[in-house]
Amino acid sequence: MMKRMFAALAAMLVAGGATAADKVVFATNWLAQGGHGGFYQALADGTYEEHGLDVEIQMGGPQLNNRPLLAAGKIDFLMTGNLLLSIDNVRNEIPTIVVASYFEKDPQVLIAHKGQYGGWDDLVNAPKILISKDGQFSFWQWMTAAHGFRDESLRPYGYNLAEFLNDEKMVQQGYATAEPLYAASAGAEVETFVLADYGWSTYSTTIETRVELVESNPDLVQRFIDASTIGWYNYLYGDNSAGNAAIIEANPDQTPEKLAAEVAQMKALGIIDSGYQLEAGIGAIDLQRVRAFHDLAVEAGIIEAGSVDVEMVATDRFVNKMVGMDLKP
């Protein structure tokens, strides 16, 4: 009887000692796609679980704005498009901070019909350039200030390729893993100009969290970033079928072929695992570059000088540690 009691007590102690995984809600800024692959890979192959995390990925989309949910404490981490949004948070005294950047280059591009222009510098001569409303208040201002583009050629972009496909002289904005591929599938031969290659130096696919979480639970932040980084190496260089299956489950409009094309495009254009990431690891942040982009935005008239404490925009505390680099062939 005594032995059975001790055995039961031991079992209770073991069960009680098991640590429950920390619940984490991570929100993206658009529908699931190849550009989110590392996060879905870490979820699907158990990497988050191995790091003691129970992660829920909450998609963004055309009718969903997850950004306000971060400051409100409804989500724990947010994938954002570029540093301008984070700079805007600091300017408005919203206590969030960038803790990682998964894209070394912003995937923002211009596309033109092949053979119509002699290169980036010749694009200023395009009679019509389609730019979205958001783009007009961000990178377009830099393009006019730094590269001589003219407002006379500016036309609104409604996220439809029809105008571009029907006018060989037209130039339009795009996302590196979207519009160039969609245009090619429609039979158009295009040239793709990545704005980052001409000086648009913002980081992209950054991860924001609340300053409060960084201060109160840095271990959780570190585990989430480490696991996400490992997820990206596995997605890019390992068997990414589990990650792709999770993406397709979340967004049935995706297919294995589309996702493979996205990954190939990211690699070909050096969007990820390039530049400083080759030295410090995927997710790396160079704070000097963050400051330089802030200065670029000021010079282009995108933000006012003195309106932002750039030191509060990002931290490199959780990155630049070469995590996961051993997984790369």
Side-chain angles (χ1 to χ4, degrees), residues 49-71:
E49 185 179 3
E50 290 171 4
H51 284 72
L53 301 172
D54 175 14
V55 175
E56 172 191 344
I57 299 181
Q58 185 172 302
M59 281 198 309
Q63 308 302 324
L64 296 171
N65 180 13
N66 285 324
R67 174 161 285 277
L69 302 181
L70 180 62

Side-chain angles (χ1 to χ4, degrees), residues 9-72:
L9 179 59
M12 290 172 62
L13 289 172
V14 170
T19 303
D22 293 307
K23 177 67 178 179
V24 168
V25 181
F26 168 54
T28 67
N29 60 355
W30 202 249
L31 301 174
Q33 56 190 272
H36 307 168
F39 308 114
Y40 281 94
Q41 181 72 27
L43 180 67
D45 69 11
T47 300
Y48 284 136
E49 185 179 3
E50 290 171 4
H51 284 72
L53 301 172
D54 175 14
V55 175
E56 172 191 344
I57 299 181
Q58 185 172 302
M59 281 198 309
Q63 308 302 324
L64 296 171
N65 180 13
N66 285 324
R67 174 161 285 277
L69 302 181
L70 180 62

Side-chain angles (χ1 to χ4, degrees), residues 173-185:
Q173 78 170 72
Y175 196 77
T177 58
E179 280 83 355
L181 301 180
Y182 303 157
S185 68

Side-chain angles (χ1 to χ4, degrees), residues 64-173:
L64 296 171
N65 180 13
N66 285 324
R67 174 161 285 277
L69 302 181
L70 180 62
K74 302 295 185 183
I75 61 176
D76 302 298
F77 297 94
L78 175 69
M79 189 187 87
T80 62
N82 60 57
L83 288 173
L84 286 177
L85 300 171
S86 305
I87 288 171
D88 195 55
N89 271 10
V90 172
R91 178 172 52 190
N92 289 295
E93 299 184 348
I94 299 172
T96 61
I97 190 167
V98 174
V99 292
S101 173
Y102 284 97
F103 283 1
E104 180 76 359
K105 293 182 184 180
D106 187 349
Q108 189 64 59
V109 302
L110 293 184
I111 59 173
H113 290 272
K114 190 170 184 179
Q116 293 298 313
Y117 297 95
W120 167 261
D121 292 335
D122 194 28
L123 295 181
V124 299
N125 297 313
K128 296 178 182 179
I129 304 177
L130 304 181
I131 304 291
S132 69
K133 185 176 180 180
D134 287 344
Q136 292 173 31
F137 290 99
S138 57
F139 58 83
W140 178 257
Q141 293 190 46
W142 162 77
M143 289 167 60
T144 58
H147 291 280
F149 286 82
R150 301 180 299 271
D151 286 334
E152 302 88 80
S153 62
L154 181 63
R155 300 291 187 277
Y157 176 44
Y159 295 94
N160 187 312
L161 279 171
E163 284 187 85
F164 174 80
L165 294 174
N166 291 321
D167 184 347
E168 289 202 341
K169 298 300 290 184
M170 186 170 284
V171 172
Q172 73 156 63
Q173 78 170 72

Side-chain angles (χ1 to χ4, degrees), residues 108-287:
Q108 189 64 59
V109 302
L110 293 184
I111 59 173
H113 290 272
K114 190 170 184 179
Q116 293 298 313
Y117 297 95
W120 167 261
D121 292 335
D122 194 28
L123 295 181
V124 299
N125 297 313
K128 296 178 182 179
I129 304 177
L130 304 181
I131 304 291
S132 69
K133 185 176 180 180
D134 287 344
Q136 292 173 31
F137 290 99
S138 57
F139 58 83
W140 178 257
Q141 293 190 46
W142 162 77
M143 289 167 60
T144 58
H147 291 280
F149 286 82
R150 301 180 299 271
D151 286 334
E152 302 88 80
S153 62
L154 181 63
R155 300 291 187 277
Y157 176 44
Y159 295 94
N160 187 312
L161 279 171
E163 284 187 85
F164 174 80
L165 294 174
N166 291 321
D167 184 347
E168 289 202 341
K169 298 300 290 184
M170 186 170 284
V171 172
Q172 73 156 63
Q173 78 170 72
Y175 196 77
T177 58
E179 280 83 355
L181 301 180
Y182 303 157
S185 68
E189 288 189 89
V190 301
E191 293 183 271
T192 300
F193 302 88
V194 182
L195 300 193
D197 291 340
Y198 304 97
W200 181 245
S201 58
T202 181
Y203 281 117
S204 184
T205 306
T206 58
I207 303 299
E208 284 183 0
T209 190
R210 293 181 300 283
V211 172
E212 171 273 326
L213 189 59
V214 167
E215 294 174 347
S216 66
N217 200 345
D219 175 67
L220 184 143
V221 177
Q222 188 69 70
R223 284 184 284 131
F224 179 75
I225 296 305
D226 286 352
S228 298
T229 301
I230 291 169
W232 269 108
Y233 277 109
N234 284 329
Y235 186 73
L236 292 171
Y237 301 112
D239 179 2
N240 63 12
S241 57
N244 284 344
I247 291 171
I248 293 168
E249 181 179 359
N251 179 12
D253 287 340
Q254 294 290 351
T255 66
E257 293 75 23
K258 287 182 180 179
L259 294 171
E262 283 191 52
V263 171
Q265 183 82 332
M266 285 192 290
K267 290 180 177 179
L269 297 177
I271 301 299
I272 190 171
D273 199 21
S274 63
Y276 184 47
Q277 290 185 353
L278 296 175
E279 173 186 337
I282 291 175
I285 293 177
D286 179 352
L287 293 178

